[in-house]
Amino acid sequence: MASPDWLTEGFETNRGRLRAVAYRMLGSLTEADDAVQEAWLRVARADASEVDNLSAWLTTIVARVCLNALRSRNARREEPLDVHVPDPVITRADEPNPEDQALLADSVGLALQVVLETLTPAERLAFVLHDTFGLPFEEIAPMVDRSPAAARQLASRARRRVRGADVHSPDRDVVRQREVVDAFFAAAHGGDFDALVAVLDPDVVSRIDAGAGALIPSGVLHGAATVARQTLAIASIAAPKHPVLVNGAAGVVITLGGQPVAVMGFTVSGGKVVEINSIVDPDRIRRLDLSVLDD
């Protein structure tokens, strides 16, 4: 059996990657941390003496834990959630720390996480492990009890869903993203409908996850005029805002009386806001890591 010290060191070296896999799979930072811990318990009991590729082996273990968690989640959920925005990764507005950078590597932002929520557990595993983390289908197939060819089909179906959802990659220049987001709020607080529409893509999507205790309802709005009207209707209560990065892209945390009440992630592509994902669910807000506001 492999040395416990060797396994412990190898696991800690790969912890950032394993947490990133779990986050892509589960869309929840808390559940991702639980999955990594469960994976470690399995690793500690396993015989790793014949493991040639430790990183791939550990990835397989955490992926199996996540697959079971997704299947259990779907079995418990009697009705699909109307609107669900996955847990955002909230970091400093200037630069993520190294741990957050590992978590966000190869991500196209919160918009992709939203689409991943619509996939079946098997599709999500095949897509995440192959398209994001480069595992071959020969290693993915046993996890979903399918042949490599069938696992390839799972990833292909997931890929079509992602393409069909028209997920935009954010503009690379975060400073420019921030300028567009600042223009959005300036227009909103100034009550300038035309200026607000001007910073929105004509097909912009605004998604609000409000849970059960928020002042505004959950919902998905489409189109610049519709999103602008809704934004102006609630702009009077949206003070003050704190610039942050949400999954590596420009975003804000909104506070009232010094308490966080909303997290908004913006996808800015082609110099326009193409998607807004907001969490205003008080219970969700309380569970998010917002320590960045203390910096």
Side-chain angles (χ1 to χ4, degrees), residues 44-280:
R45 295 192 298 264
D47 180 2
S49 58
E50 297 185 6
V51 172
D52 294 323
N53 186 333
L54 182 61
S55 178
W57 183 65
L58 294 174
T59 299
T60 297
I61 292 174
V62 80
R64 288 183 182 274
V65 171
C66 292
L67 183 63
N68 291 338
L70 283 175
R71 287 170 170 168
S72 177
R73 179 196 294 174
N74 287 1
R76 292 194 308 268
R77 189 177 291 166
E78 295 180 0
E79 297 179 2
L81 298 175
D82 290 336
V83 178
H84 178 68
V85 175
D87 283 359
V89 180
I90 302 165
T91 53
R92 290 167 51 95
D94 49 3
E95 183 180 0
N97 63 41
E99 181 180 344
D100 294 321
Q101 287 176 331
L103 190 63
L104 295 170
D106 302 318
S107 173
V108 296
L110 194 58
L112 177 60
Q113 288 295 127
V114 170
V115 180
L116 293 182
E117 294 285 309
T118 69
L119 304 178
T120 68
E123 288 171 345
R124 188 166 186 169
L125 181 142
F127 177 82
V128 168
L129 292 188
H130 181 266
D131 285 43
T132 304
F133 294 97
L135 262 67
F137 289 114
E138 288 74 17
E139 295 181 22
I140 295 171
M143 301 184 214
V144 289
D145 298 319
R146 287 172 168 83
S147 68
R152 184 184 298 275
Q153 284 299 111
L154 286 172
S156 179
R157 284 205 300 269
R159 210 173 293 121
R160 287 196 297 270
R161 294 279 289 277
V162 171
R163 284 199 299 264
D166 197 21
V167 177
H168 295 267
S169 295
D171 291 343
R172 290 183 178 274
D173 187 344
V174 177
V175 173
R176 177 56 183 150
Q177 290 182 38
R178 179 64 59 192
E179 291 172 352
V180 174
V181 171
D182 287 346
F184 170 90
F185 280 104
H189 293 153
D192 192 333
F193 177 83
D194 291 337
L196 194 52
V197 169
V199 301
L200 298 172
D201 183 87
D203 298 317
V204 62
V205 176
S206 176
R207 187 177 290 103
I208 299 174
D209 182 344
L215 297 176
I216 57 178
S218 295
V220 181
L221 299 176
H222 300 267
T226 301
V227 171
R229 280 193 292 269
Q230 188 237 28
T231 300
L232 291 177
I234 64 175
S236 61
I237 63 171
K241 61 182 178 67
H242 306 268
V244 295
L245 294 179
V246 175
N247 286 55
V252 301
V253 176
I254 293 172
T255 59
L256 285 175
Q259 297 300 311
V261 294
V263 174
M264 300 177 68
F266 291 79
T267 302
V268 177
S269 183
K272 301 281 189 179
V273 175
V274 297
E275 187 164 326
I276 307 170
N277 286 293
S278 305
I279 298 177
V280 296

